[in-house]
Amino acid sequence: MNEGMRATQCDPPALCLSVGGVVLGLYSGLPLELLPGTAAFRCDGVPTVPVQVIPVDKLPPVAGELCGEDGIFRYYRKGGQFYQLAIPGAEGSVSLTAYPADFSKITLYINEGAFPGVVRTADKVLQLLPMKQLLAHHGAFLLHSSRIAVNGRAILFTAPSQTGKTTQARLWRQYAGAEIAGNDRTLLRMAGGEIITSGYPVDGSSPVYSGVELSLGAIAVLRQGPEDRAERLPAAAALGRLMEQTALDAWNGEERTQAQRFWLDLLKRCPVYRLTCRPDEGAVQCLKNQLERDEVIPGAVDTP
């Protein structure tokens, strides 16, 4: 292990990032560039979770029992300690992450011996961390959705890929003056009795990076159709659609249970609609009318 390059947690972190209300403090033995997208999430303050990034010539051995994998990483557990190992390729594994169940600290070992220079940006570090589990532990969940800001509140469009999330966000910008605050991924968490939404540093093929936090107004589950129609979904149907679009580790039953509880709580506070629509101005007006009727956003005021 290259101990000479290890930073200590007594030192100030090289970089702090606020992701879903969790402040990650990066203590890195590698120089990390801050790309423009990740820069939107830079913050000051005391880290919630210190992350030690350690370059090594060879990864430490993994101990414990295999408890799951997701096609990118394999997960192991030994007592109260967890390990996330990048699935090996021809040259071996690029990284190994070690962390306790409470995520009080994370150690990320980078295999510089086999993959020199592969990690030199903060967003790459995030991609190598168990972010879904970490965020779920802190009560934050990642929904595949576009996010717009309307009258200071967030409206989310969620659906499988290629259904029109980005298109609907752009139509709202064009016809209703909304601001696009996220293109593909939105983090949601409870804070102060409200559902708070925020962006994510990795945001799909047409990224919109925004560190702005907005309280949630409503979620629209999109479905393409020949006419525009908005209808509020019953809780059971809404829960199913939200779970389908939540980024979760399929092998992790506890994480799934946490997400279900979060969505059920959200459904008591915010409406979820099915929006059957075309990619046109009518879709905007249809949902806008429904949101005004349900007082999610203010309606037009008639003047005498």
Side-chain angles (χ1 to χ4, degrees):
M1 186 179 301
N2 195 342
E3 298 288 346
M5 297 185 70
R6 184 197 293 257
T8 69
Q9 291 172 17
C10 296
D11 300 326
L15 178 65
C16 280
L17 300 173
S18 179
V19 184
V22 179
V23 178
L24 301 174
L26 304 187
Y27 298 81
S28 180
L30 292 168
L32 296 178
E33 182 183 358
L34 191 62
L35 299 181
T38 315
F41 300 87
R42 187 170 190 172
C43 67
D44 297 318
V46 179
T48 311
V49 180
V51 180
Q52 192 87 52
V53 182
I54 303 175
V56 294
D57 295 328
K58 184 179 180 180
L59 294 179
V62 179
E65 178 183 357
L66 180 68
C67 55
E69 69 174 78
D70 58 14
I72 302 174
F73 299 103
R74 291 177 183 150
Y75 300 87
Y76 299 82
R77 179 174 186 172
K78 185 176 183 180
Q81 189 75 5
F82 290 83
Y83 302 89
Q84 175 189 271
L85 178 70
I87 293 178
E91 301 298 321
S93 296
V94 68
S95 68
L96 171 67
T97 308
Y99 53 98
D102 64 359
F103 288 95
S104 55
K105 62 178 179 180
I106 297 176
T107 304
L108 173 62
Y109 299 99
I110 304 297
N111 190 348
E112 280 283 294
F115 301 93
V118 72
V119 176
R120 291 294 184 270
T121 61
D123 67 305
K124 187 64 175 178
V125 170
L126 292 181
Q127 292 173 33
L128 295 174
L129 297 180
M131 289 300 296
K132 295 189 292 292
Q133 298 175 56
L134 166 63
L135 290 166
H137 177 77
H138 287 277
F141 297 90
L142 193 61
L143 184 70
H144 292 292
S145 57
S146 60
R147 180 174 67 133
I148 60 173
V150 182
N151 293 103
R153 305 188 76 185
I155 307 298
L156 307 186
F157 298 101
T158 186
S161 298
Q162 307 302 315
T163 306
K165 299 187 297 294
T166 300
T167 298
Q168 289 301 316
R170 290 172 177 170
L171 287 170
W172 271 78
R173 180 176 60 187
Q174 179 179 356
Y175 294 111
E179 176 187 352
I180 299 178
N183 182 54
D184 190 58
R185 296 176 176 92
T186 305
L187 276 166
L188 300 97
R189 73 184 195 279
M190 180 72 70
E194 289 187 303
I195 305 296
I196 302 299
T197 70
S198 54
Y200 192 67
V202 182
D203 190 51
S205 57
S206 300
V208 176
Y209 300 111
S210 174
V212 173
E213 295 189 341
L214 299 165
S215 63
L216 179 65
I219 299 175
V221 180
L222 298 181
R223 183 173 66 179
Q224 295 177 353
E227 60 181 5
D228 301 316
R229 185 174 70 256
E231 53 189 325
R232 187 161 181 172
L233 285 172
L239 176 62
R241 302 292 82 75
L242 293 173
M243 287 296 293
E244 288 173 358
Q245 299 306 318
T246 305
L248 294 171
D249 294 303
W251 58 272
N252 193 325
E254 181 180 355
E255 187 180 322
R256 185 174 182 86
T257 299
Q258 290 171 327
Q260 288 175 331
R261 289 173 179 166
F262 175 79
W263 293 128
L264 287 171
D265 197 9
L266 178 147
L267 289 167
K268 297 174 185 176
R269 302 165 186 269
C270 300
V272 175
Y273 303 97
R274 176 185 290 117
L275 177 62
T276 304
C277 61
R278 300 165 295 182
D280 58 19
E281 183 181 1
V284 175
Q285 194 60 50
C286 175
L287 180 58
K288 186 172 182 289
N289 290 342
Q290 186 67 53
L291 294 174
E292 290 174 353
R293 283 194 295 269
D294 292 344
E295 299 183 341
V296 176
I297 60 174
V301 178
D302 294 329
T303 56

